[in-house]
Amino acid sequence: MEEQESELFEKQAKGITKEERIEKKRKDILDSVATGNMQSFRDRVAFILNHFYEARNSDVDLVWSYWNTFEKDKFDGDFITKDTLKNLVVLQLWC
């Protein structure tokens, strides 16, 4: 009962439900990917997940695809030095 009251209060306070907020975020992400306007990290990850099937089931493939797509200036796909690795998006940031 308390949880329902809390959710009702939240809806009244913000004007939308949690489900409506999630749906809005989902739509915003899809719109960003569809238009190619990928300004945020979240939008770029959504792009990778949408275009690279193998990245959906593997963190390593996700990071590799992200680096190859969005950080080509730092990553050539062959050799990574310690200094280069420090400048790339790190897997821990995804969690």
Side-chain angles (χ1 to χ4, degrees):
M1 181 68 175
E2 186 176 306
E3 184 176 313
Q4 290 174 339
E5 289 174 355
S6 175
E7 189 173 315
L8 179 60
F9 175 76
E10 183 178 314
K11 180 179 179 181
Q12 291 171 342
K14 296 182 179 180
I16 59 174
T17 65
K18 180 179 179 180
E19 290 80 16
E20 290 169 330
R21 276 196 325 276
I22 291 170
E23 181 61 25
K24 182 180 180 330
K25 282 184 183 180
R26 186 186 72 77
K27 185 181 179 311
D28 290 345
I29 291 170
L30 291 174
D31 289 346
S32 294
V33 171
T35 62
N37 183 20
M38 294 168 286
Q39 297 296 320
S40 73
F41 178 74
R42 179 192 69 190
D43 295 340
R44 292 187 299 268
V45 170
F47 175 85
I48 295 297
L49 294 173
N50 192 37
H51 288 87
F52 298 91
Y53 181 78
E54 66 279 359
R56 297 177 187 178
N57 297 316
S58 168
D59 290 343
V60 171
D61 286 333
L62 178 60
V63 171
W64 194 267
S65 296
Y66 184 94
W67 288 347
N68 271 320
T69 305
F70 297 108
E71 298 196 356
K72 286 186 177 186
D73 58 322
K74 301 174 200 162
F75 178 70
D76 65 8
D78 289 328
F79 184 74
I80 303 174
T81 66
K82 188 175 182 180
D83 289 333
T84 301
L85 185 59
K86 288 178 182 179
N87 292 318
L88 293 167
V89 171
V90 180
L91 182 63
Q92 292 174 344
L93 297 176
W94 303 63
C95 302

